[in-house]
Amino acid sequence: MKHKTIDAWTGRLFVLPSFLLILVFSIIPIVLTVLLSFTKYNMIQQPEWIGLRNYGYLLSDPFVAASVKNTLLFTLLVVPLQTVLALLIAEVLHAKFQGRFSRFVRGSLFVPVISSTILIGTVWSILLMTDGGMVNTLLDGLSIPKVNWLGTTQTALVSVALITVWKNIGYFLVLYYAGILNIPASLYEAANVDGASAWYRFWHITVPLLRPITVLVVTLGTIWAFQVFDLVYTMTGGGPGRSTVTLVLTIYRSAFKDLSMGYASAIAVLFLCLIMVITMLQRLLFGRDKEAQL
């Protein structure tokens, strides 16, 4: 019993540093945010308790409604597209291209992942300029009318979403490529003996065995999409109108431009609730898929 007690306390001591970090940087800030959401606080004067007034105003705020809609739409655009493209590119590289070319493509697509988002947003803002931008110059050379990519409500959010996919796809490509390499080659050899086509092997061997990685890719992609801020802030600033304003951008403006930290905290609580709901839906969805497979 004495040795078991010593082992138990040794384990607790090893866990303690990580627990303290989570407590200080995650749990306590969340609790403080919830408390501040019931106050009027401008970061200069003492917080004033106002109850549910922030939440009442939040429900009628057009910027919050637009930011929720845009964040959900942005996530629906980005996550499926980057997941499918990363999987397909990884499969093509593994099946058709090996050696230096495969390493070159993976390395090239990974460069945007480690690049500064502010830099990427600035460069793409220049490339997508209506007059003088490289993209519209190429379209003009093909006799295609110029597009105001970031200046119209129809194309601004889609443009930012596509650039986000371009930036993130290299990370998810590496995950999928590593997963494909771990699939036993004997499974593909047996399928070849049975006369299975390449599409059949991909759909019935590769995709099912990569399911854990797909869960990870979808989860990370959803979290990153909900947290989008710097790319939108750099390229559109939330405009034109309210077409690209997101929840994180609305929280930033309320807290640091309007100096309304209490109201920003209420929006942050709404943001937390949305993420929790979407996480639960994802778990239910993937859980049902697992039961169906069993």
Side-chain angles (χ1 to χ4, degrees), residues 183-193 205:
I183 297 177
S186 58
L187 297 176
Y188 294 108
E189 294 171 357
N192 283 330
V193 172
I205 298 177

Side-chain angles (χ1 to χ4, degrees), residues 15-82:
V15 172
L16 183 60
S18 298
F19 174 75
L20 290 176
L21 288 175
I22 295 173
L23 179 67
V24 172
F25 294 103
S26 295
I27 299 176
I28 292 178
I30 290 174
V31 174
L32 291 177
T33 300
V34 174
L35 293 176
L36 286 175
S37 68
F38 297 103
T39 66
K40 180 181 180 181
Y41 180 43
N42 59 8
M43 295 186 291
I44 299 174
Q45 300 171 333
Q46 290 294 324
E48 176 187 350
W49 187 268
I50 59 173
L52 296 174
R53 196 180 305 171
N54 283 329
Y55 290 97
Y57 181 61
L58 182 149
L59 295 175
S60 60
D61 188 348
F63 274 94
V64 173
S67 64
V68 171
K69 183 191 74 173
N70 292 336
T71 301
L72 292 174
L73 180 59
F74 181 84
T75 303
L76 290 175
L77 287 172
V78 168
V79 176
L81 184 59
Q82 68 187 11

